[in-house]
């Protein structure tokens, strides 16, 4: 019996390393819906949302964005990123994705509604739904991340640990509302919860994924060993210091801001040295997002070191809220959206390539990567998001601008959704064309044998 | 055995995968591929056994990694 040809091998290949495209795509599209939802909330409630950090509208908006947008995208991305970085593929990805997606979506909506109304009933249901999602997703992905020798996953593991701490604190605080009789003083934990979520989960994950995708997609030199070795542990140490009594949090902020700023500088330098210098929306997103992140970290550093000077002289009532907007929406949000515009076409192409390989002629149906999103659309997305983030920052300073920020956020989410759905539609058309060629080839070979 | 060297170290994804899969489909019986890359191609590793290929990765001379790929049914190249 002759050895199988490479093409036959590909046809017989059961590729478990990459889950189907619809697994991450459902998370990405749902995330954009949450952006639209927040924008709608702001249009409805107006400046009441921005009058205080603890306003019902702000509490609801914060969690719709952190869980419904950021975490939703990051969860979707992890299904694909973990095997590419050397981890094990997520087992039974369809089932894990379905439970996680439904639990996270429904749980986030109920959590936000519960925070809005301070409703114990809604919080209880939210905890159940979110609990189902996290109990399935977190251990499943944790096992995949613990593969030996996959050093590229080390930052992602730390980010995962920060996520678990964030959720633990979140559950504690949500329980205070769900079961008021427990007498939990939840406000004491809010700053640490926010820090672990934003700096630990958000920033560490972007740093860790960035260590791989920046050199991978933009053909830059690799990150220096000294950066990859020390940045993440320093940020983790900084987070631990934030949880300790004064004056430890000052040192924690200095560590996090210092190493964060160094990471910003190194990444910008690497992008400047990339081989291919053509215009690229993702590079624009990285550059702008990193600069804004740097500004937020500088402000946080100045505030920690000179609190009596920076905060009063800025005359900003909601200094913390402005920092959060710059850091999360302007910084991390821009980078995450930029990465989506690169990762989604890449994944679509990869899936189609594997589909087409049994018959070389079918590879003609592979559209260029740029056709999945369109360079102009990707660039427009990044620019619109930057304008939206600027509008939201302005709204913190001048709450009557809430309706403008809300309208822009709706447009931001809607544009992103349309771009992703167009990519999905292009993928399906190409897949059908490839399948037609494969069917013809199969029928032809059956006729001739 | 004859060496077929492919340098994908300056290509953006998914071009490296495209180039190496095309090369493997056309690989002669007495040839093996030396794939020079700036990173380890984990998705490719997962595909190679099903395609009937074996591989070994080593530190590259001019690039970070070199992946030697040969047909499992054929002779094993000398790995320096």
């Amino acid at each position: 019996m002759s050895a199988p040809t490479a093409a036959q091998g590909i046809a017989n290949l059961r590729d478990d390393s990459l889950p189907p495209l619809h697994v991450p795509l459902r998370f990405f599209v749902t995330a954009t819906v949450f952006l639209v939802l927040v924008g709608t909330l702001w249009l409805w409630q107006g400046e009441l949302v921005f009058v205080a950090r603890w306003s019902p509208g702000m509490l609801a908006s914060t969690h719709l964005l952190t869980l419904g947008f950021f975490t939703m995208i990051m969860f979707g991305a992890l299904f694909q990123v973990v095997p590419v970085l050397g981890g094990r593929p997520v087992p039974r990805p369809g089932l894990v994705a379905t439970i996680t997606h439904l639990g996270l979506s429904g749980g986030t909506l109920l959590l936000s509604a519960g925070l809005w109304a301070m409703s114990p009933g809604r919080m209880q249901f939210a905890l159940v739904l979110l609990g189902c999602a996290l109990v399935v997703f977190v251990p499943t992905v944790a096992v995949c991340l613990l593969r030996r020798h996959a050093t590229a996953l080390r930052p992602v593991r730390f980010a995962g640990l920060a996520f678990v701490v964030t959720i633990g604190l979140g559950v504690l605080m949500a329980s205070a509302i769900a079961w008021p009789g427990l007498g939990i003083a939840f406000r004491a934990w809010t700053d640490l919860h926010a820090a672990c979520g934003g700096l630990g989960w958000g920033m560490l994950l972007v740093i860790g994924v960035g260590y791989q995708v920046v050199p991978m997609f933009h053909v830059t030199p690799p990150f220096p060993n000294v950066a990859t070795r020390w940045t993440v542990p320093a940020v983790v140490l900084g987070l631990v210091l934030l949880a300790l009594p004064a004056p430890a949090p000052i040192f924690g902020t200095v560590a996090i801001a210092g190493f964060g700023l160094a990471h910003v500088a190194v990444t910008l330098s690497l992008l400047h040295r990339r081989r291919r210098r053509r215009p690229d929306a993702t590079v624009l997103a990285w550059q702008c997002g990193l600069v804004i992140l740097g500004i937020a970290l500088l402000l946080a550093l100045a505030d920690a070191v000179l609190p009596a000077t920076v905060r009063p002289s800025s005359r900003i009532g909601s200094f913390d809220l402005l920092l959060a907007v710059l850091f999360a929406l302007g910084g991390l949000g821009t980078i995450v959206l930029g990465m989506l515009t690169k990762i989604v076409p890449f994944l679509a192409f990869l899936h189609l390539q594997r589909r087409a390989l049994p018959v070389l002629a079918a590879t003609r149906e592979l559209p260029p990567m740029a056709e999945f999103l369109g360079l102009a659309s990707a660039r427009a997305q990044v620019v619109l998001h930057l304008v939206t983030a600027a509008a939201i920052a302005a709204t913190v300073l001048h709450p009557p601008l809430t309706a403008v920020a809300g309208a822009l956020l709706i447009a931001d989410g809607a544009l992103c959704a349309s771009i992703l759905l167009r990519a999905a539609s292009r993928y399906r058309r190409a897949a059908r064309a490839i399948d037609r060629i494969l069917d013809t080839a199969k029928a032809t070979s059956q006729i001739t044998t | 055995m004859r060496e077929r060297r492919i340098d994908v170290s300056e290509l953006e994804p998914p071009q490296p995968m495209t180039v190496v899969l095309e090369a493997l489909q056309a690989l002669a019986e007495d040839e093996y591929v030396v794939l020079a890359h700036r990173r380890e191609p984990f998705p490719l590793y997962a595909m190679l056994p099903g395609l009937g290929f074996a591989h070994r990765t080593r530190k590259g001379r001019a690039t970070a990694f070199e992946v030697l790929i040969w047909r499992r049914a054929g002779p094993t190249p000398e790995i320096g």
Side-chain angles (χ1 to χ4, degrees):
Chain A
M1 192 161 70
S2 60
T5 63
Q8 285 169 334
I10 293 167
N12 295 333
L13 186 64
R14 196 169 71 89
D15 183 16
D16 289 327
S17 68
L18 221 54
L21 191 63
H22 63 76
V23 165
L25 209 53
R26 72 184 77 178
F27 288 89
F28 299 156
V29 174
T30 304
T32 67
V33 172
F34 274 93
L35 284 185
V36 171
L37 202 55
V38 174
T40 308
L41 176 66
W42 291 357
L43 280 182
W44 172 42
Q45 284 294 293
E47 56 186 282
L48 282 177
V49 174
F50 280 88
V51 292
R53 182 181 161 182
W54 298 106
S55 75
M58 185 49 66
L59 281 175
S61 302
T62 304
H63 289 82
L64 287 170
L65 288 170
T66 52
L67 286 172
F69 177 70
F70 281 106
T71 301
M72 190 70 71
I73 289 179
M74 290 169 182
F75 273 20
L78 281 172
F79 279 95
Q80 301 280 322
V81 162
V82 169
V84 171
L85 298 189
R88 290 188 185 87
V90 176
R92 309 202 60 187
L95 181 62
V96 173
T98 299
I99 296 172
T100 306
H101 176 247
L102 290 176
L104 185 59
S105 304
T108 300
L109 288 171
L110 277 171
L111 178 76
S112 302
L115 287 168
W116 170 278
M118 286 294 157
S119 157
R122 287 174 203 172
M123 292 303 273
Q124 288 165 15
F125 278 113
L127 284 169
V128 168
L129 283 177
L130 287 171
C132 288
L134 298 176
V135 153
V136 166
F137 184 78
V138 172
T140 306
V141 171
V143 166
C144 301
L145 286 173
L146 292 175
R147 195 178 203 181
R148 281 182 67 197
H149 308 305
T151 52
L153 291 172
R154 205 176 288 144
V156 179
R157 291 179 195 138
F158 276 114
L161 192 59
F163 178 75
V164 169
V165 172
T166 306
I167 292 301
L169 290 170
V171 167
L172 189 70
M173 293 188 294
S175 300
I177 302 170
W179 296 283
L182 291 176
I184 298 170
F186 71 86
R187 286 213 179 176
W189 299 105
T190 53
D191 285 348
L192 190 60
H193 172 67
C196 281
L199 298 166
W201 168 232
M203 193 169 85
L204 282 182
L205 195 58
V206 165
I207 288 175
V209 172
Y211 282 156
Q212 302 303 316
V213 303
V214 167
M216 181 172 151
F217 283 111
H218 306 295
V219 199
T220 69
F223 278 81
N225 283 339
V226 67
T228 56
R229 177 170 257 189
W230 295 110
T231 303
V232 169
V235 170
V236 171
L237 176 63
L239 284 168
V240 171
L241 289 173
L242 286 182
L244 300 176
I250 297 175
F251 298 106
T253 305
V254 169
I256 292 167
F259 278 85
L261 284 163
H263 177 75
V264 165
V266 167
T267 312
L268 286 171
S269 162
L270 289 177
L271 286 168
H272 184 67
R273 289 154 60 194
R274 66 191 187 280
R275 291 284 188 178
R276 304 292 172 95
R277 307 287 301 182
R278 60 170 183 260
D280 186 300
T282 307
V283 171
L284 176 68
W286 272 109
Q287 290 167 331
C288 295
L290 285 166
V291 166
I292 298 170
L293 198 64
I295 291 170
L297 290 170
L298 267 172
L299 282 173
L301 183 61
D303 184 49
V305 173
L306 303 164
T309 308
V310 171
R311 206 170 274 248
S313 66
S314 69
R315 290 194 214 144
I316 298 169
S318 298
F319 189 85
D320 290 332
L321 195 50
L322 180 66
L323 267 189
V325 168
L326 288 175
F327 175 83
L329 285 169
L332 297 186
T334 306
I335 292 169
V336 161
L337 276 175
M339 280 204 276
L340 268 191
T341 64
K342 187 64 75 175
I343 288 172
V344 169
F346 167 69
L347 292 175
F349 188 93
L350 204 59
H351 282 282
L352 288 173
Q353 185 179 57
R354 292 177 183 205
R355 200 183 191 106
L357 276 172
V359 176
L360 261 181
T363 58
R364 281 200 308 265
E365 298 301 327
L366 287 173
M369 262 185 43
E371 267 192 39
F372 284 99
L373 286 193
L375 294 172
S377 300
R379 197 173 182 87
Q381 175 71 73
V382 174
V383 170
L384 177 57
H385 181 75
L386 287 168
V387 168
T388 304
I392 298 171
T395 305
V396 172
L397 303 174
H398 188 60
L401 289 172
T402 305
V404 174
L408 281 169
L409 198 56
I410 290 172
D412 195 12
L415 178 60
C416 192
S418 76
I419 287 172
L420 292 174
L421 290 171
R422 200 171 72 202
S425 167
R426 189 70 187 89
Y427 169 83
R428 275 197 301 273
R429 278 204 310 275
R432 280 198 294 269
I434 288 168
D435 287 345
R436 276 197 295 273
I437 296 176
L438 293 181
D439 289 342
T440 305
K442 209 189 289 187
T444 309
S445 68
Q446 280 168 355
I447 289 167
T448 57
T449 50
Chain B
M1 286 186 80
R2 291 182 298 145
E3 180 182 292
R4 190 163 167 179
R5 193 171 178 83
I6 305 170
D7 188 343
V8 296
S9 60
E10 298 202 2
L11 298 180
E12 293 173 10
Q15 287 175 301
M17 181 74 90
T18 304
V19 165
V20 72
L21 288 176
E22 281 175 1
L24 291 179
Q25 292 205 355
L27 201 67
E29 293 286 337
D30 63 338
E31 278 185 320
Y32 66 97
V33 162
V34 175
L35 181 71
H37 205 349
R38 64 183 183 281
R39 54 186 298 111
E40 281 203 74
F42 292 109
L44 177 65
Y45 293 165
M47 293 176 71
L48 288 173
L51 297 176
F53 290 92
H55 79 277
R56 186 72 61 84
T57 304
R58 68 187 180 198
K59 207 162 140 37
R61 281 170 280 173
T63 58
F65 297 97
E66 282 179 354
V67 185
L68 280 71
I69 307 170
W70 65 95
R71 290 186 190 282
R72 272 216 300 251
T76 305
E78 274 190 33
I79 295 155

